[in-house]
Amino acid sequence: MSWTFSRRQFISSSAALVGTSCVPLSWSKSGPARLPIPPLVDGRQGKPIELNIRSGSWSFADFGKTPTLGFSQDYLGPTIRTQQYSELNLHYKNTLTESVAVHGHGLHVPGEVDGGPQLAIEPGADWRPSLSIVQPAATCWYHSHTHGKTGEQTYRGLAGLIIIDDEQANSLSLPHQYGVDDLPIVIQDRTFDAQGRLVYSLYEAGEDGWYGDTVIINGAVEPFVSVPAGKVRLRILNGANARFYIVRFADNRTFHKVASDGGLLEAPVPLTTMEMAPGERCEIIVDMADGKPAGLLTMFEDEFDDEDNFIGSLLNLNKRSGKDLPPASLNLVVDKDLPAHNAPLPRQLATIVRPQPKQIMRSRDFFLTMEDSGVAFDGDGHKNGHAAMDMAINGVAMDMNVINERVQRGVWERWRIRSNQGAHPFHVHGCSFLIERMGGLAPPPELQGWKDIVVLDDDDWSQIVVRFDYPATERYPYMYHCHILEHEDRGMMGQFAVS
Ligand code: C2O
Ligand code: CU
Ligand code: CU
C-alpha cells in the first residue's frame, strides 16, 4: 500500500438516513450461486444490436424475485463487444412508461450520439445511434443518464459493459476468452426490503449518496466462478451509485493492473490493494496457476475513517488470518479442465503519448460544492440528507437550458477540480484524459494511464489534461459531473459544447 487518497469525510457527519423500510433482509442460502456472466453480443460487423429497455424480475439471492430493470434481460444488459475502426450500431427500444436516456460512458463519440439527458428516449420510442469507434481497446459501459433519474434507473439495473478491442491489444498475450479467463465483474451495492424489493430514495440518501448494505457482483450475492489454472483477467467496474471500494484478495495475493478507464497502461502494475471510485474501471490479471481458490474482497471505503486509520486498518487486515476477514464478494475456484493461459505477462502494454507543456492552451477550474440549503425538501417532509443539500459546480446547479462551458475541438486544456467538502469522482464525457495531480499529489503508476474519472477532495486540486476530438453541439452537449449518482441527480453536473 504505497499511496492512497485522503478519506472522504464530509464536514457535517450526519449519518446516512436509513428509512424504516431498509431493515437488512436475512436470507437462508441454499449454497453459493454461480457468477452470472452477461451474454456477449458481437457488434464488430456493424449489425445493429437490439437493446430493449424493459422491466424484469431477478433473483439476487435466495429471497425470491426482485422487480428490476434491464437491457433485453431482467437485470443489467449484455456485454457489447466492438473493435477500433468499426461502426457500432445500437438499437434501443424503450418499453417502460418513463423516459430513459442511455449514455456510453468512456466512448469517444460526438455529443449527438453520447446519450446525455437531452437524448431521452420517450416511452415506446426507439433510438438508433451509430457510433464510429476510433479509440483504442478499453472497458467502457453504458448506463441510464436520465435527467434527475440516473441514480434510480441505474440502481434498478440499467447498466452494461462495452468491451472495445484493437489489433495492438489483441496481439498481446493477455487472457481474452470472455467468460472463461476474461471475466466481466460489476460491483454494486443494494438494499432490499423484507419482500426482497430494491430500496432506493434520492431524497432519503445521505449526503454521501445512496449506499446499499449488500454487495452484489453481476447481480449475485457472494457468487463463485470457475476459472482455469492460469492467468485470469477481471474487467472490474465499480458500478455502485455512490460507494468507493477497496478491492483486494483474501490471501493478499499480488495481482497486476493492466488497464484503467480509457485502456491499457504502459506496463502492468503489481498491486495488492486498489481503490475504485464509482464509475471507474480497472482491468487486472490474477494468477490462479497455484490451483488455490481466491476470494475477491470488496471493502467499503467509507468504513475507514481517516488516512491514518485507513492505512492502519489495511496493515492490520493484511496480517489477519482468513477467519477474521470479511466474506469474499466473489470466489474464484480453479477448474483444471478449463484451458489455461500461462504465458508471462507482457512487459510493455501500450504507448501513451502525453502533451508537451506548451501544447496546453488554456485552463479551467471546477469547484464542486454541497451546502446546506436551510430548506427542508417539501416532498415528504424529509429534513435531512440530500433533500437539504444544494449541489453545484462553479456555483450553479445543472440546468438543461444552460451551456456552462464552450471548448475548442482538438486543443489540449488543463482542468483543475476540487470541492468544498468530501471526495467526489469527477467524470467528463467524450474523452479520455490524463491525471497530472490528484488531491495535490502526483498520481501513482496505476493511475497514469487514460482515465475518464478523477477523484478530488477539499484538501487540494486534482488536475487533468484533456482534449476533445469530436463535436458536441449546444443542442447535444457533453456533460461533466460527479459520478456519485445522487450528487449528479441533485445538480452536481454541467454541460459543455465542443466546436
Ligand atoms: Cu457514467 Cu455522465 O456518466
Ligand atoms: Cu460518461
Ligand atoms: Cu459528488
Side-chain angles (χ1 to χ4, degrees), residues 60-384:
F60 289 90
D62 283 353
F63 48 71
K65 296 275 192 183
T66 297
T68 49
L69 300 178
F71 295 99
S72 300
Q73 58 188 55
D74 289 305
Y75 185 73
L76 301 176
T79 298
I80 296 168
R81 167 160 277 162
T82 179
Q83 174 135 4
Q84 189 181 33
Y85 308 128
S86 69
E87 205 65 16
L88 176 63
N89 293 305
L90 304 178
H91 180 185
Y92 291 102
K93 187 165 184 44
N94 182 5
T95 72
L96 304 181
T97 53
E98 59 187 327
S99 61
V100 180
V102 191
H103 166 57
H105 178 135
L107 299 183
H108 304 182
V109 295
E112 62 186 10
V113 288
D114 179 61
Q118 280 75 8
L119 285 156
I121 312 163
E122 295 306 317
D126 291 60
W127 184 47
R128 302 167 186 254
S130 179
L131 312 174
S132 295
I133 304 298
V134 177
Q135 70 198 94
T139 303
C140 298
W141 60 305
Y142 57 108
H143 64 78
S144 160
H145 217 301
T146 313
H147 188 61
K149 294 198 119 183
T150 296
E152 171 152 19
Q153 291 180 347
T154 304
Y155 190 84
R156 300 206 181 279
L158 293 185
L161 290 178
I162 300 174
I163 295 175
I164 303 174
D165 289 333
D166 71 30
E167 275 179 18
Q168 189 266 337
N170 285 349
S171 74
L172 295 171
S173 179
L174 291 172
H176 201 241
Q177 291 291 316
Y178 183 81
V180 181
D181 60 16
D182 183 350
L183 303 174
I185 306 292
V186 180
I187 305 172
Q188 297 173 313
D189 44 72
R190 298 292 184 261
T191 297
F192 300 93
D193 71 9
Q195 280 78 49
R197 293 171 307 197
L198 290 166
V199 177
Y200 184 83
S201 166
L202 175 59
Y203 297 105
E204 288 181 25
E207 57 196 356
D208 304 359
W210 186 263
Y211 289 163
D213 55 23
T214 303
V215 174
I216 54 174
I217 307 288
N218 298 352
V221 179
E222 294 173 24
F224 75 94
V225 61
S226 298
V227 295
K231 295 195 172 61
V232 175
R233 167 168 17 193
L234 305 182
R235 294 180 191 257
I236 306 177
L237 161 67
N238 179 349
N241 279 35
R243 194 160 239 144
F244 291 66
Y245 281 98
I246 299 160
V247 176
R248 61 187 292 265
F249 288 94
D251 60 3
N252 205 30
R253 70 175 65 198
T254 298
F255 55 88
H256 286 82
K257 181 168 166 184
V258 294
S260 52
D261 304 333
L264 292 169
L265 300 173
E266 291 185 298
V269 178
L271 297 171
T272 53
T273 300
M274 66 185 180
E275 293 180 88
M276 290 188 74
E280 284 188 308
R281 290 86 67 211
C282 289
E283 293 181 33
I284 66 169
I285 307 289
V286 54
D287 197 338
M288 301 297 293
D290 63 6
K292 298 204 183 92
L296 185 77
L297 306 185
T298 56
M299 299 180 311
F300 293 175
E301 209 204 46
D302 41 290
E303 291 182 354
F304 299 92
D305 277 75
D306 58 50
E307 194 155 357
D308 293 339
N309 284 344
F310 172 73
I311 291 175
S313 306
L314 276 185
L315 290 175
N316 285 335
L317 193 63
N318 288 347
K319 283 191 226 122
R320 279 195 231 163
S321 63
K323 67 175 166 31
D324 295 328
L325 288 168
S329 295
L330 172 67
N331 287 291
L332 310 185
V333 185
V334 171
D335 176 347
K336 295 218 160 60
D337 293 335
L338 292 170
H341 177 104
N342 277 312
L345 270 182
R347 305 181 82 134
Q348 164 131 36
L349 297 167
T351 307
I352 293 177
V353 183
R354 292 161 204 279
Q356 300 296 311
K358 65 172 186 320
Q359 288 179 279
I360 300 169
M361 304 308 283
R362 70 166 286 175
S363 48
R364 294 175 208 259
D365 287 352
F366 298 88
F367 192 54
L368 280 54
T369 52
M370 34 199 292
E371 318 266 4
D372 198 320
S373 65
V375 186
F377 176 70
D378 52 10
D380 301 299
H382 298 116
K383 289 194 169 60
N384 285 302

